[in-house]
Amino acid sequence: MRMIRIWVYDGILASGVSGPIDVFAAANRIAAKSSVNRRQPIRWRVESLDGKPVHTASGQTVAVDGRIDARGRADAILVTAPFLADMEEFVSRHEQLRALSSALRRQHVAGAVVASYCTGSYLLAEAGLLDGRIATTHWDRATDFSRRYPRVELRANEVLTEQDRVLCTGAVTSFLNLALRLVEMFGDAHLATTTAKALLIDTNRVSQASYATLLDEHGHSDRLVARAQLRMEATLQHGFRLSELAAYLAVSERTLNRRFKQAVGDSPLEYLQSLRIEVAKRLLEAGHASLEGVSQRVGYGDLSTFRELFKHKTGLTPREYQRRFVQHACRNNLKS
């Protein structure tokens, strides 16, 4: 039998434990009914550092099967993710991180697959298991993650990354995709696909880009850049010239570019493109405008340019995006 150890601690989401277990249980039931290529069932244990139940972020208590044993046999370690507004709180739990990191490294050296989802990638990075490897995390944590762990090759748009028996997946419910990947590894692709169909899990989620908010709020202290951002928002439908914006603000283009990069991380043009696409997403979600109308309202007279940039930023065409995220039950058809 394949053994998956699920490691838990206070502050996780209960679904991060129950969700994967439900996937494993469903896969076992489906495999048992198969008349060909029957697979050994997947077993699992839920474990905490002290062997005591843990308290989730939503106030529930998760029972465990025992204490985390760094030497216990495992085919895979599935590390649950913290559900916190501030990851600084998590990385400051030094004693907990040292214990978990040491156990993770030992298990990986022993040959176990090490996997986590969402902000669990912080724990894998703290353990050094992502240094020089690819990884993903919650799309909203990408900037912070990259700053903390520059040796990791972060691919924030991807739903699942895998290298050298280290697996990461994206935002919270991607633990379902992670569980299915483990089913595929320890069973086969057909079993994983059949399980996904039975549980109605979308295995076509290959990018987080369409879910991401492209812009943060004006969360910086540079008043010049804030004025530039407000000006861009107010004149979104018009063409953009850096020289005109710099003249409006009474600074040089070089100064504006430098200050923008420092405050926002993008050039003014890159920021404007993201702003336009973010506004376009909201218009499409409202479901009341034609594609041509949306394109013009965000400053793109050339529809093909708008389509190309939208897909580049979100991973979906405008039509695909509206079908997936439209807010109204009665969906308007976009004109081609």
Side-chain angles (χ1 to χ4, degrees):
M1 292 186 180
R2 297 291 192 169
M3 170 59 74
I4 298 176
R5 298 183 181 272
I6 303 172
W7 288 0
V8 298
Y9 45 87
D10 289 342
I12 62 172
L13 285 177
S15 59
V17 183
S18 61
I21 287 176
D22 286 344
V23 172
F24 302 148
N28 283 345
R29 180 171 295 187
I30 291 168
K33 290 181 177 180
S34 176
S35 58
V36 293
N37 296 327
R38 286 195 176 183
R39 300 284 177 176
Q40 289 186 331
I42 296 171
R43 295 181 60 206
W44 59 85
R45 280 176 55 89
V46 180
E47 301 171 337
S48 65
L49 283 169
D50 59 6
K52 296 179 180 179
V54 300
H55 302 287
T56 69
S58 54
Q60 296 165 286
T61 299
V62 172
V64 303
D65 299 306
R67 187 189 298 268
I68 288 173
D69 180 0
R71 295 177 175 83
R73 191 194 73 78
D75 294 288
I77 304 295
L78 197 166
V79 188
T80 49
F83 188 69
L84 296 168
D86 182 7
M87 290 305 297
E88 189 62 40
E89 178 186 343
F90 179 69
V91 298
S92 66
R93 300 176 186 175
H94 302 300
E95 185 176 347
Q96 175 182 274
L97 285 179
R98 279 196 296 270
L100 288 170
S101 295
S102 175
L104 282 170
R105 288 191 295 268
R106 182 179 289 273
Q107 285 285 355
H108 189 254
V109 169
V113 172
V114 175
S116 193
Y117 59 91
C118 195
T119 49
S121 55
Y122 280 71
L123 179 50
L124 302 189
E126 288 288 329
L129 293 174
L130 295 180
D131 287 351
R133 295 187 172 111
I134 61 172
T136 189
T137 190
H138 192 295
W139 54 263
D140 193 41
R141 303 291 184 176
T143 301
D144 179 66
F145 187 93
S146 294
R147 178 182 61 80
R148 291 179 187 274
Y149 311 112
R151 297 180 63 185
V152 180
E153 185 183 338
L154 184 65
R155 299 183 180 178
N157 283 345
E158 296 191 22
V159 171
L160 187 149
T161 59
E162 179 177 343
Q163 185 178 0
D164 301 333
R165 292 179 289 106
V166 180
L167 279 65
C168 298
T169 58
V172 183
T173 59
S174 66
F175 56 62
L176 298 172
N177 301 79
L178 181 59
L180 284 172
R181 176 59 185 135
L182 293 174
V183 168
E184 182 180 6
M185 293 176 74
F186 301 142
D188 56 36
H190 178 71
L191 177 59
T193 299
T194 305
T195 303
K197 289 179 178 178
L199 298 180
L200 200 63
I201 299 173
D202 183 3
T203 57
N204 293 317
R205 295 192 299 178
V206 295
S207 174
Q208 297 190 90
S210 57
Y211 295 86
T213 300
L214 299 177
L215 300 176
D216 294 326
E217 297 299 323
H218 299 173
H220 57 78
S221 58
D222 193 318
R223 295 183 64 184
L224 173 68
V225 175
R227 287 177 59 210
Q229 290 171 298
L230 291 172
R231 179 66 175 176
M232 288 178 175
E233 292 164 10
T235 60
L236 197 62
Q237 290 182 259
H238 307 304
F240 174 77
R241 285 194 176 91
L242 182 63
S243 58
E244 292 178 357
L245 181 59
Y248 172 80
L249 298 168
V251 295
S252 69
E253 294 179 39
R254 182 176 179 180
T255 296
L256 183 57
N257 259 317
R258 176 176 55 81
R259 297 272 288 272
F260 233 94
K261 278 281 189 179
Q262 289 174 343
V264 179
D266 287 330
S267 70
L269 180 57
E270 290 168 336
Y271 176 85
L272 181 66
Q273 288 178 338
S274 294
L275 174 63
R276 284 173 164 165
I277 297 305
E278 195 61 38
V279 173
K281 285 166 63 178
R282 294 171 187 170
L283 292 171
L284 291 168
E285 288 165 13
H288 59 70
S290 70
L291 186 54
E292 291 89 341
V294 171
S295 178
Q296 291 169 4
R297 286 182 65 178
V298 298
Y300 288 104
D302 184 347
L303 186 56
S304 61
T305 299
F306 169 68
R307 280 199 185 107
E308 183 178 350
L309 181 62
F310 192 96
K311 186 166 186 179
H312 174 71
K313 291 283 190 181
T314 69
L316 298 173
T317 66
R319 186 188 298 277
E320 290 168 339
Y321 185 89
Q322 189 181 50
R323 285 173 179 162
R324 182 171 296 187
F325 296 105
V326 68
Q327 295 172 352
H328 300 300
C330 181
R331 304 183 179 193
N332 295 338
N333 291 323
L334 287 176
K335 297 179 182 178
S336 299

